[in-house]
Amino acid sequence: MRHSTWAILRLRFQNGLQYRAAALAGLGTQLFFGFVFIMVFEAFYAFGPKDPGMTLEQVITYSWLKQAFLSLVILWMRDNELFQLITSGNIAYELCRPCRIYDFWYAKLLGQRLSSAVLRCLPILIIVIFLPAPYGLTAPPDAASFVLFIIALLVGTLMVVAISMLIYISVFVTMNPSGSILLFAVFSEFFAGFLIPVPLMPDWMQRIVYVLPFHYTVDFPFRIFTGHISKLEAIQGIGMQILWLVALVVVGSWLMNRTMRRIVVQGG
């Protein structure tokens, strides 16, 4: 079973690398929105509070990291093939596979995200590194911070896939992918710090954000890169990431098994 899951991940990754034209189009879009976010934050820092919690250079780097690794952190990225399987009743074919459906779908979604990120992240990072100050990407303070960022980003990506699995599981009940995506994406995107870095939020809202797992997928790894989070806090946060990841996978797997036992497929 483990061998087949890795094979699915590899095949999905290789298949995703073929969509180079789509990646090129997405590259331009992500650069455009990166500049839009930066201009908004520039205005905020020019007329906002004197001590917002992060420097403008850190927020700009944060914004470029969001665009470079967009495929790894967004929840509205979806696989319409899986939604079609659920809503059409063709899920019956998935049940015939000699592997757990949760593992199979998790590997497919992870491979899709990794291949998209590989095609887009390096070109974006190369471009923004050479932008003039303060609009360019600022390097992390040291090598240790960069290593901790990579670890946090990878664990955060696994968390994103585990959360997205809950979206697909919910469609078995709602039979409406649009509603599930809208609910999860809007809620998690804000609380993950995708729209606004968590330190720029009011104190009362930050307390809510830190209770939820979403900020570990976006805000936490990107603030490690900028040096806003110390190495000790980063190590402790990665430990919390792993605990949340295990909890999300266990709950998702349990819900999937429970759903599969109750599923009814009609037709001939």
Side-chain angles (χ1 to χ4, degrees), residues 85-86 88-93 95 262-268:
L85 288 174
I86 297 171
S88 67
N90 289 334
I91 185 66
Y93 297 108
L95 299 176
R262 297 185 175 186
I263 193 171
V264 176
V265 178
Q266 296 178 342

Side-chain angles (χ1 to χ4, degrees), residues 14-118:
Q14 293 173 346
N15 183 63
L17 293 178
Q18 300 177 17
Y19 296 95
R20 297 181 180 87
L24 183 61
L27 177 67
T29 302
Q30 287 167 230
L31 287 171
F32 171 78
F33 277 102
F35 282 112
V36 170
F37 276 110
I38 288 172
M39 287 187 288
V40 171
F41 284 123
E42 268 195 308
F44 171 78
Y45 274 77
F47 302 100
K50 294 182 179 179
D51 186 18
M54 293 178 69
T55 66
L56 178 60
E57 289 75 15
Q58 288 176 330
V59 173
I60 289 174
T61 295
Y62 186 106
S63 300
W64 284 128
L65 291 173
K66 284 192 307 182
Q67 299 305 315
F69 299 102
L70 186 70
S71 301
L72 300 182
V73 299
I74 55 172
L75 267 178
W76 45 261
M77 184 177 182
R78 59 188 182 272
D79 188 328
N80 289 322
E81 179 185 349
L82 298 186
F83 286 133
Q84 182 66 22
L85 288 174
I86 297 171
T87 56
S88 67
N90 289 334
I91 185 66
Y93 297 108
E94 299 288 279
L95 299 176
C96 298
R97 299 183 185 275
C99 61
R100 292 201 318 159
I101 191 169
Y102 184 91
D103 297 342
F104 180 63
W105 286 9
Y106 191 102
K108 288 182 66 176
L109 296 174
L110 181 59
Q112 179 185 25
R113 288 178 178 274
L114 291 176
S115 61
S116 179
V118 167

Side-chain angles (χ1 to χ4, degrees), residues 188-226:
S188 66
E189 194 171 90
F190 180 80
F191 286 102
F194 186 85
L195 298 176
I196 306 172
V198 175
L200 303 187
M201 298 180 181
D203 292 339
W204 64 268
M205 187 173 293
Q206 291 186 38
R207 289 192 288 270
I208 297 175
V209 169
Y210 288 135
V211 173
L212 301 173
F214 303 109
H215 78 100
Y216 286 112
T217 64
V218 179
D219 180 80
F220 175 69
F222 294 162
R223 281 203 287 141
I224 293 176
F225 187 97
T226 64

